[in-house]
């Protein structure tokens, strides 16, 4: 199954390290990050899960619930979490889905058979409070993800869901934003009281609206 931006995130029931969950119910009104890793007791995954655990306050601040997944069992996840705490210095503080029958992996297209026909790739789905998919990422098993970049993108997604702006290259929270082309100059004057600079008629820059 291919999941595209704007699709409803498929709902499912699954066993996790924190008990059975119904995904949509578990998400509630929060934003969500569903991410897969290839296998328990592997080195890159160990570092990734430790980092996500360390970033808990950052996800909480953004009202984002995080949940991991691999095709291993709950017992395997729980055993491995001890190693993650020992080696990464932080206990895993988010649920991990056990998906040995690949039900969720298939639902989300997390197995790419020409990369590996049994293990999940490193997928990330960011899901909005409306349960729609806002971002997808796919990394190979050999490359650990940059979760600071994921937080940066979530900042952009949350900002652009509230204001008629887009965020430019390498933008980070607090930087100037771009007014979307569908807004006329007249409307922009009203919507952006801090003003804007017209670099080109299609490139208008304004201070980040929720920081002024
Ligand atoms: C890892 O997490 O280190 C890993 C997992 C599967 C294949 C290669 C590396």
């Amino acid at each position: 199954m291919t999941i595209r931006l704007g699709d409803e995130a498929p709902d499912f029931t699954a066993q996790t390290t924190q008990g059975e969950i119904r995904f949509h119910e578990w998400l509630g009104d929060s934003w969500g990050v569903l991410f897969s890793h290839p296998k328990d007791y592997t080195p890159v995954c160990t570092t990734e899960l430790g980092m996500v655990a360390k970033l808990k306050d950052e996800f909480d601040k953004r009202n984002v619930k995080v949940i991991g997944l691999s095709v291993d069992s709950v017992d395997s996840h729980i055993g491995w979490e001890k190693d993650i705490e020992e080696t990464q210095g932080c206990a895993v503080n988010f649920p991990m889905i056990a998906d040995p029958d690949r039900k969720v992996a298939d639902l989300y297209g997390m197995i790419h058979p020409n990369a590996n026909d049994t293990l999940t790739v490193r997928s990330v789905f960011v899901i909005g409070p409306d349960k729609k998919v806002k971002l997808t990422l796919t990394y190979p098993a050999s490359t650990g993800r940059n979760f600071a970049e994921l937080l940066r993108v979530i900042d952009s997604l949350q900002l652009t869901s509230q204001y008629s702006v887009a965020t430019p290259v390498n933008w980070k929270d607090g930087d100037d934003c771009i007014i979307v082309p569908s807004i006329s100059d007249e409307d922009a004057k009203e919507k952006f009281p801090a003003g804007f600079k017209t670099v080109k008629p299609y490139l208008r820059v304004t201070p980040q609206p929720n920081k002024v």
Side-chain angles (χ1 to χ4, degrees):
M1 169 137 178
T2 305
I3 297 191
R4 298 188 176 99
L5 301 188
D7 290 354
E8 180 166 292
D11 197 14
F12 57 83
T13 300
Q15 299 304 321
T16 81
T17 49
Q18 298 183 6
E20 183 175 285
I21 63 148
R22 282 188 287 175
F23 187 52
H24 282 193
E25 184 181 283
W26 176 81
L27 283 169
D29 295 329
S30 301
W31 287 70
V33 169
L34 168 63
F35 73 108
S36 60
H37 59 271
K39 197 154 182 53
D40 293 358
Y41 295 103
T42 50
V44 176
C45 302
T46 299
T47 61
E48 284 193 326
L49 269 68
M51 179 52 70
V52 173
K54 283 179 195 159
L55 290 172
K56 180 175 172 34
D57 287 351
E58 295 297 324
F59 287 110
D60 286 350
K61 244 184 352 202
R62 294 163 174 83
N63 189 30
V64 179
K65 288 186 171 178
V66 177
I67 191 161
L69 175 148
S70 76
V71 295
D72 300 286
S73 65
V74 166
D75 284 350
S76 168
H77 287 339
I78 288 172
W80 180 38
E81 285 183 359
K82 294 185 195 113
D83 287 0
I84 296 169
E85 181 170 7
E86 181 192 323
T87 62
Q88 306 305 304
C90 191
V92 176
N93 45 27
F94 53 88
M96 296 260 285
I97 296 167
D99 195 32
D101 58 3
R102 305 191 217 166
K103 193 181 83 178
V104 181
D106 285 341
L107 204 53
Y108 277 81
M110 292 167 166
I111 293 181
H112 294 206
N114 291 325
N116 188 303
D117 58 5
T118 53
L119 305 179
T120 41
V121 292
R122 298 189 195 280
S123 298
V124 183
F125 297 89
V126 177
I127 298 158
D130 58 359
K131 310 289 184 292
K132 298 280 168 52
V133 174
K134 308 296 183 188
L135 173 104
T136 65
L137 287 175
T138 306
Y139 275 47
S142 51
T143 305
R145 288 157 285 198
N146 183 331
F147 287 91
E149 165 62 4
L150 185 61
L151 289 169
R152 188 192 75 86
V153 178
I154 289 169
D155 284 341
S156 172
L157 290 169
Q158 293 187 339
L159 178 72
T160 59
S161 72
Q162 285 178 28
Y163 298 92
S164 303
V165 293
T167 57
V169 60
N170 292 346
W171 173 90
K172 58 185 187 323
D173 190 39
D175 287 353
D176 287 352
C177 299
I178 289 170
I179 299 172
V180 296
S182 58
I183 302 292
S184 66
D185 279 353
E186 200 173 67
D187 288 346
K189 281 177 199 147
E190 242 177 63
K191 280 179 184 276
F192 302 103
F196 60 90
K197 182 177 160 202
T198 303
V199 183
K200 289 280 179 190
Y202 56 85
L203 175 55
R204 295 165 298 171
V205 178
T206 189
Q208 184 171 323
N210 61 353
K211 300 277 183 190
V212 291

